Amino acid sequence: MSTTQESFDYSAHIPSNAEKFRQRTLPLLIFAAILVAIPLTGPSRTVYTLMHQMGINIVLALSYNMLLGRAGLLSFGHAVYFGFGGYFAMHAMNWIADGSGIWADFPVFLLPVLGFGAGALAGAVIGWPSCRRAGTTFAMISLGVAELIASGAFMFDSFFGGEQGISGDRMNGPELFGLTLGPISQVYWFIAFWTVVGVVGMYAFTRTPLGKLSEATRDNPQRVQFIGYNPQRVRYLVFIFSGGFAGLAGAMAAVNYEIFTPDAFSLVPSGFILIMAYVGGITYFVGPIFGAILLTYMQSMMSDFTDAWLLYLGVLFISIVMFAPRGLAGIVFGFSAGLRGPRPRAFLITWLTQLAGVALMLIGLIVLVEIAVRWSNGYGEVFAPFGLPLAQANPLSWLLVVAPAIAGVALSRRAARMREAQA
Amino acid sequence: MTSPPALSIRDLSKSFGPARIINGVSLDIAPGERHAIIGPNGAGKSTLFNLISGLYFPTQGSVLLNGQKISGLPPHQINRMGLSRSFQVSNIFTNMTVRENVRCGVLNTMGLGYSFWSNIGANKAAHAKTFEILERCGLSDKANVPASLLPYADQRSLEIAITIAGNPDVILLDEPTAGMSQSETARAVELIAKATEGKTLLIVEHDMGVIFNLADRISVLVYGEILATGTPQEIRGNAEVREAYLGDEALPEELA
Ligand SMILES: Nc1ncnc2c1ncn2[C@@H]1O[C@H](COP(=O)(O)OP(=O)(O)OP(=O)(O)O)[C@@H](O)[C@H]1O
Ligand SMILES: [Mg+2]
């Protein structure tokens, strides 16, 4: 079997075109098809609003994962680049409304291009000092910069518009694709288009030499130097791209909401971006997409149902960090891999046991939290799921906290033992 | 007419605080020469490699690559000038597959730089070069194995594969066969001999069998100083060298 080096046939060792299509192109096509199909279901205004926020957050969370998942850079200030992209787009929207000079011909539909530029520029300026070091130094600098800009945003009113922020009107300038962007159903196409551009763009980035070097730098910055690359430069370039895509999401938000306020820069949205990406799963490209969809949904829907939704968010985040560090994507792919594994039956039983355990613990937690919140509010309101009143003094209430919790823990331990036995 | 040495180390010293680890080392290595460095544990062999490859700045002295000064330059520039090194402790990209590890090493020679506009997966030349290296290092069957799951000996091969992937003129190998079984060592030596054909090699080794097989010349480093340099025969007969090694288990029978 002595083949000469030149003629070595490596095709068996690299993904075939069919595999590439199935694993890369097809999911993107399905994603795009879903986006096209959604308006056919005749969504309500609420659903549109939710979808738009999801699209924005998908791009934002993916741009964050270019740093955390792909480059190993933990940032606490990603909202800064989102904010700069959004603010610049707001100003440009107003220049378009004024219609002077070149702005008369600039379509609002293309504002995300400017948002990308503004975010990338912010990344280029801020990244210059902060990308010299990874690890804790980088994280601390990102926090400092975020604090600095969040407070600066309240000081420089001509750019940030003070507490009211900057608002505008997207129905100006030339129309593109016949969209006036007036009705919410037209804004949908704008959001859908740029969501796909963002997703495809960031996926393509992972396939480039720089994208690969970013992963190499994450794994082993020292060795990167000895294959001829400067890890600081790799980080810096990735940082600029990440800022650009965050800025693109910012401009999407600017067109969608027609307002940007300095709150956009605060640490709260930065933290939310981190949680979206992490809960979704930072080791997978699609992870942040899952995270953005779930958390956007939780944010807008659960806040209607319960005062305690942030508490649930916190519990979810901590549970993922502790028990499923690969996030939702890890759970989904782990499940499908298990079913295709050598013992799908045993795997499924273990998995369902675990699921039941988690569900029971969740019931205990919900009953506890909901009773406690109402008790603490002091309005005499009583938590009554399915018409069953559960007052804090009612022994049944406490039984419904303790019993499911104990049963849930027991089932989870059982699932853990089953996993060990299978390993 | 005479070309400059491939690697020229001139009066090189390195101190960590008060401790002088490398002390006035001078050494010229001709193009195409295979030069081995031996010495007891803690003699400063790895430190010398770190100085040459740019990981450390020298306290004193200089290093020249093909007549050009490289000491003081950052490692990635030295690498781009044609000097590549391996590490004593495997230093690979753990979350990537074997193939991706080597492909990272190939990027620079493909003229790809920090490119963000081309699809690496569609780059046939990069694939071909990657698999040429993998095939040479006996790793093509494990191309898609995550690097962190490789058995130890294969990790050492991967270490060498990454080192030679960038097509360097001067190769520094730091104990490439450390911890390998006898048969693995034999395979590794064959690989090193083939991979460094026509190149300049500086190798740190404890295994004397390997050294006498590979090296044209040997330098003995003790307490940061070169005790002797010469052909394997000369070193074998050197009384001072024997004395330095006395009682050191690293000394195998071949030297005695
Ligand atoms: N960064 C550093 N700071 C302080 N001391 C160092 C540093 N690097 C190496 N040393 C010291 O320099 C001495 C030489 O170390 P070096 O690793 O170069 O030895 P070596 O000859 O490669 O040994 P071995 O055969 O065990 O690999 C050791 O005493 C080590 O503790
Ligand atoms: Mg050493």
Side-chain angles (χ1 to χ4, degrees), chain B residues 16 21 39-48 56 88 175 206:
Chain B
F16 294 110
I21 303 299
N41 289 111
K45 304 180 294 293
S46 297
T47 305
L48 185 63
Y56 296 161
Q88 185 170 355
E175 302 199 24
H206 278 308

Side-chain angles (χ1 to χ4, degrees), chain A residues 103-156:
Chain A
W103 294 107
D105 300 322
F106 196 92
V108 166
F109 195 94
L110 294 185
L111 282 179
V113 176
L114 300 185
F116 186 97
L121 185 65
V125 173
I126 298 168
W128 185 251
S130 52
C131 288
R132 288 170 189 278
R133 303 275 297 278
T136 314
T137 317
F138 176 88
M140 290 304 126
I141 293 177
S142 77
L143 187 65
V145 167
E147 269 294 332
L148 189 87
I149 291 178
S151 50
F154 283 103
M155 285 162 24
F156 299 97

Side-chain angles (χ1 to χ4, degrees), chain A residues 1 3 5-6 8 10 12-15 20 24 204-231 233-234 237 241, chain B residues 53 55 75-76 79-80 84-85 87 91-96 99-100 103-105 107-108 112-116 118-121 124 127-128 131-132 135-136 140-141 144 159 162-163:
Chain A
M1 273 284 290
T3 44
Q5 279 147 13
E6 288 74 23
F8 177 74
Y10 55 77
H13 297 290
I14 63 168
K20 278 185 190 163
R24 300 170 189 176
F205 183 84
T206 66
R207 314 295 314 156
T208 65
L210 182 60
K212 290 289 166 200
L213 285 167
S214 157
E215 289 173 50
T217 305
R218 168 200 67 197
D219 282 4
N220 191 342
Q222 188 193 60
R223 189 61 193 250
V224 166
Q225 298 183 281
F226 294 95
I227 56 169
Y229 288 95
N230 184 350
R233 183 145 171 217
V234 172
L237 291 172
F241 274 96
Chain B
S53 61
L55 193 59
H76 68 275
N79 180 276
R80 290 189 165 205
S84 189
R85 68 164 293 183
F87 289 80
N91 203 354
I92 56 186
F93 303 114
T94 40
N95 289 319
M96 294 181 154
R99 177 165 72 87
E100 287 174 316
R103 190 167 62 182
C104 280
L107 288 179
N108 191 21
L112 287 170
Y114 297 85
S115 148
F116 46 80
S118 67
N119 178 358
I120 182 68
K124 293 230 164 61
H127 276 311
F131 276 95
E132 181 205 318
E135 182 67 358
R136 227 197 281 176
S140 8
D141 290 341
N144 291 309
E159 178 72 36
I162 298 173
T163 306

Side-chain angles (χ1 to χ4, degrees), chain A residues 307-330:
Chain A
D307 291 347
W309 94 270
L310 278 174
L311 204 145
Y312 293 118
L313 176 65
V315 170
L316 173 69
F317 182 50
I318 294 170
S319 313
I320 291 278
V321 169
M322 289 179 65
F323 303 112
R326 290 170 162 272
L328 297 172

Side-chain angles (χ1 to χ4, degrees), chain B residues 72-84:
Chain B
L73 295 180
H76 68 275
Q77 275 183 25
I78 295 176
N79 180 276
R80 290 189 165 205
M81 291 168 74
L83 183 144
S84 189

Side-chain angles (χ1 to χ4, degrees), chain A residues 371-385:
Chain A
I371 291 174
V373 166
R374 284 167 178 74
W375 189 2
S376 140
N377 282 347
Y379 303 138
E381 202 188 331
V382 172
F383 177 49

